[in-house]
């Protein structure tokens, strides 16, 4: 979070002339097509219980039941009954599903923490199950999913996928890459593609509004602009031996691009609701000031940025507090439900807004990846909680991704990873491959028509079975 605009500019290098625009081959490699490319990267922080959402099990089956206090023979314990006892909406799902807890939509199944606002979009979604995380450490798992590369110790290796997409699509928008409550990394890509990290709508106001004392006197401003617009001279070439003149000009251009007082009002969230925000607040069920600081408030910032041309790439954290090793039967389900609800509302909002100059809505041009750093153990521990588990799931969607599709599965004993044929989607214990974050990244980028060459040292495999 940036408390001042100067702090924000210094981080990007603007205050010292350090920002260079579109300066790497990767940034210029892929021109925008007729349909713009948007990326929505969604993080559920803390390690999710995938039994509650993306990888459920039928709680009525004998192999998932405790007998005489002993753990289920499958090593998998949905614990939906215990959760329903403390969480009314889970109890409602249990009743509606005959006690199974599994919500079926087309080819997909979801656990009881996924609300109708998200289930409505099932035809567009692709669930990947049985993904091998190779770590039980929060920092490593999070950065592995962000970059597609296994970290160096705890440090991220390479650029996060939001930065990669922004660089390859030309760093479009007033703030090309926004990260709302999430980490982001840039290793060797054009600085203009780096994420501006914000925590809330307040930070968006800070970033987009010129701050008091930062505006030059008119005469000075005119002189600077004249210098920026002037043709190169021999004298300027001499000054630019180290690239400082070029960097200065590019940085000033980017600074002006970021400072958009008119667009800053898009994030002036307050009550009574300003008339231009009525539709937005209604879509995300924002009814009081306290709502603005919830995950629905964050989702509203993401939606507002995308549909108003502020950013083509948005990363957002929509759930936290999932790392609960004790008495998870209420908090985990509530946190997940709130995150899925916020995401469902965001997708609905994007579907309802048309891309300028196109017959498509924003959702039809958006690729989405939803993840957590790993999952929770399939068995309840002695503290009535779940610990860290290597096998996880993720959720994808996009113009190049098949909807109503499931790829992979965790095993029915202990929810372990399994090998799959990436071409036809079949289980193949002999010749198949484990699903890794690098493979998911390669598939997402390939589905967008973008390069994943930066992952070459991870030997990524595109999952052809889920591509359109």
């Amino acid at each position: 979070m940036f408390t001042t605009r100067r702090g924000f500019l210094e981080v990007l290098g603007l205050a010292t002339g350090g920002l260079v625009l579109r300066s790497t081959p990767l940034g210029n490699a892929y021109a925008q097509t007729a349909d713009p490319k948007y990326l929505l990267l969604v993080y559920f922080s803390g390690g999710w219980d995938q039994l509650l959402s993306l990888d459920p099990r039928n709680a009525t089956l004998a192999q998932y039941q405790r007998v005489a206090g002993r753990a289920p023979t499958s090593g998998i314990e949905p614990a939906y009954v215990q959760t329903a006892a403390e969480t009314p909406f889970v109890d409602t799902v249990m009743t509606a599903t005959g006690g199974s807890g599994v919500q079926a939509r087309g080819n997909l199944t979801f656990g009881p923490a996924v609300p109708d606002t998200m289930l409505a979009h099932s035809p567009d979604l692709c669930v990947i199950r049985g993904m091998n995380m190779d770590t039980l450490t929060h920092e490593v798992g999070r950065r592995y999913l962000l970059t597609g590369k296994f970290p160096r110790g705890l440090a991220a290796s390479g650029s996060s996928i939001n930065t990669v997409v922004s660089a390859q699509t030309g760093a479009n928008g007033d703030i090309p890459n926004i990260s709302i409550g999430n980490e982001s990394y840039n290793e060797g890509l054009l600085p203009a593609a780096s994420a501006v990290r914000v925590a809330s709508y307040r930070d968006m106001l800070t970033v987009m509004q010129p701050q008091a004392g930062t505006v030059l006197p008119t005469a000075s401003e005119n002189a600077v602009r004249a210098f920026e617009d002037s043709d190169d001279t021999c004298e300027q070439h001499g000054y630019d031996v180290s690239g400082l003149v070029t960097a200065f000009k590019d940085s000033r251009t980017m600074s002006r691009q970021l400072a958009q007082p008119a667009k800053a009002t898009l994030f002036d969230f307050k009550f009574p609701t300003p008339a231009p925000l009525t539709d937005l607040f209604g879509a995300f069920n924002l009814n009081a000031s306290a709502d603005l600081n919830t995950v629905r408030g964050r989702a509203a910032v993401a939606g507002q940025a995308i549909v108003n041309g502020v950013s083509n790439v948005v990363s957002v954290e929509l759930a936290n507090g999932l790392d609960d090793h004790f008495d998870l039967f209420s908090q985990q389900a509530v946190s997940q439900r709130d995150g899925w609800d916020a995401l469902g509302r965001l997708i609905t909002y994007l579907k309802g807004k048309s891309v300028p100059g196109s017959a498509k809505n924003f959702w039809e041009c958006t690729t989405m990846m939803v993840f957590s750093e790993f999952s929770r153990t399939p068995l309840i521990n002695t503290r009535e909680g779940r610990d860290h588990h290597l096998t996880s799931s993720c959720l994808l969607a996009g113009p190049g991704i098949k909807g109503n599709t499931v790829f992979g599965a965790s095993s029915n004993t202990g929810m372990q990873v399994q090998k799959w044929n990436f071409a036809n989607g079949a289980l193949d214990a002999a010749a198949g491959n484990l699903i890794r974050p690098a493979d998911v990244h390669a598939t997402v980028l390939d589905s967008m028509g973008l390069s994943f060459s930066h992952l070459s040292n991870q030997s990524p495999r595109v999952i052809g079975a889920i591509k359109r």
Side-chain angles (χ1 to χ4, degrees):
M1 180 176 71
F2 298 98
T3 56
T4 67
R5 183 169 180 80
R6 178 176 175 78
F8 161 69
L9 296 177
E10 287 176 344
V11 170
L12 255 67
L14 290 174
T16 57
L19 180 65
V20 182
L21 301 180
R22 294 162 178 79
S23 59
T24 70
L26 185 59
N28 289 321
Y30 292 88
Q32 227 25 359
T33 59
D35 291 327
K37 292 179 171 69
Y38 300 93
L39 177 71
L40 178 61
L41 186 64
V42 181
Y43 174 44
F44 280 54
S45 173
W48 54 22
D49 177 359
Q50 58 187 337
L51 286 162
L52 287 170
S53 52
L54 296 184
D55 198 358
R57 293 297 191 279
N58 184 336
T60 66
L61 299 182
Q63 63 262 40
Y64 303 129
Q65 306 297 318
R66 283 185 176 266
V67 178
R70 295 183 179 181
T73 56
S74 63
I76 302 173
E77 194 171 7
Y80 299 154
V81 174
Q82 297 96 313
T83 304
E86 298 188 27
T87 314
F89 72 87
V90 172
D91 185 55
T92 299
V93 172
M94 291 294 285
T95 300
T97 59
S100 75
V102 177
Q103 304 182 89
R105 296 293 188 277
N107 296 329
L108 308 183
T109 54
F110 299 91
V114 182
D116 289 339
T117 45
M118 188 66 197
L119 295 174
H121 304 296
S122 297
D124 304 329
L125 307 178
C126 172
V127 177
I128 294 181
R129 294 174 176 151
M131 182 169 60
N132 184 25
M133 288 308 304
D134 277 327
T135 183
L136 297 177
T137 304
H138 290 284
E139 295 86 354
V140 174
R142 176 170 61 249
R143 290 158 193 166
Y144 193 9
L145 260 303
L146 283 170
T147 66
K149 294 186 176 185
F150 202 81
R152 311 177 186 103
L154 295 181
S157 176
S159 301
S160 49
I161 190 170
N162 52 320
T163 306
V164 171
V165 170
S166 183
Q168 292 198 42
T169 55
N172 295 294
D174 303 296
I175 307 176
N177 182 3
I178 298 173
S179 184
I180 307 168
N182 204 1
E183 296 178 5
S184 186
Y185 299 94
N186 185 337
E187 189 173 291
L189 301 182
L190 66 157
S194 294
V196 173
R197 293 182 60 185
V198 299
S200 69
Y201 66 94
R202 294 187 183 91
D203 292 346
M204 291 298 296
L205 281 171
T206 299
V207 167
M208 301 199 76
Q209 284 184 323
Q211 302 299 296
T214 63
V215 179
L216 291 174
T218 301
S220 298
E221 178 68 22
N222 290 339
V224 170
R225 287 188 180 236
F227 171 70
E228 293 170 9
D229 295 337
S230 63
D231 295 330
D232 284 348
T233 65
C234 290
E235 182 181 17
Q236 287 184 28
H237 278 299
Y239 293 150
D240 203 26
V241 170
S242 61
L244 288 178
V245 173
T246 299
F248 170 76
K249 287 186 173 184
D250 288 341
S251 298
R252 290 285 299 176
T253 300
M254 189 63 179
S255 296
R256 292 196 184 95
Q257 181 176 313
L258 292 171
Q260 296 285 345
K263 286 193 175 181
T265 61
L266 295 168
F267 303 97
D268 190 12
F269 292 5
K270 59 188 176 183
F271 291 92
T273 307
L277 298 180
T278 300
D279 176 53
L280 180 76
F281 280 22
F284 290 92
N285 195 28
L286 304 176
N287 301 306
S289 295
D291 294 336
L292 302 179
N293 297 311
T294 65
V295 292
R296 284 179 284 110
R298 282 186 170 184
V301 172
Q304 191 78 319
I306 291 172
V307 304
N308 288 285
V310 175
S311 179
N312 279 39
V313 177
V314 175
S315 172
V316 59
E317 180 187 281
L318 289 184
N320 51 44
L322 301 181
D323 188 31
D324 191 350
H325 297 257
F326 302 83
D327 189 22
L328 60 71
F329 299 131
S330 59
Q331 185 56 46
Q332 173 80 214
V334 170
S335 295
Q336 281 209 50
R337 186 272 311 271
D338 289 349
W340 292 118
D341 173 63
L343 179 56
R345 291 176 182 276
L346 176 53
I347 295 172
T348 297
Y349 189 70
L350 295 177
K351 286 182 175 180
K353 302 294 181 180
S354 297
V355 177
S358 169
K360 295 184 177 180
N361 61 52
F362 279 90
W363 176 245
E364 291 174 302
C365 299
T366 298
T367 297
M368 180 180 75
M369 174 178 164
V370 187
F371 69 96
S372 189
E373 57 262 46
F374 42 65
S375 66
R376 316 306 297 184
T377 51
L379 285 179
I380 301 296
N381 62 28
T382 57
R383 297 156 293 180
E384 294 192 333
R386 298 188 194 270
D387 300 313
H388 299 176
H389 190 56
L390 292 171
T391 309
S392 194
S393 309
C394 66
L395 184 69
L396 305 180
I401 300 292
K402 292 179 182 176
N404 190 32
T405 301
V406 177
F407 179 80
S410 59
S411 69
N412 285 324
T413 301
M415 297 186 77
Q416 301 299 316
V417 297
Q418 302 182 99
K419 292 184 176 180
W420 299 86
N421 184 308
F422 281 25
N424 61 26
L427 182 66
D428 188 348
N433 297 296
L434 298 178
I435 306 167
R436 305 166 302 145
D439 304 320
V440 174
H441 275 236
T443 303
V444 167
L445 292 167
D446 195 60
S447 77
M448 298 179 73
L450 303 179
S451 171
F452 55 91
S453 60
H454 63 290
L455 298 172
S456 59
N457 64 342
Q458 305 293 304
S459 301
R461 305 175 185 89
V462 172
I463 306 172
I466 68 172
K467 284 187 56 188
R468 291 185 189 276

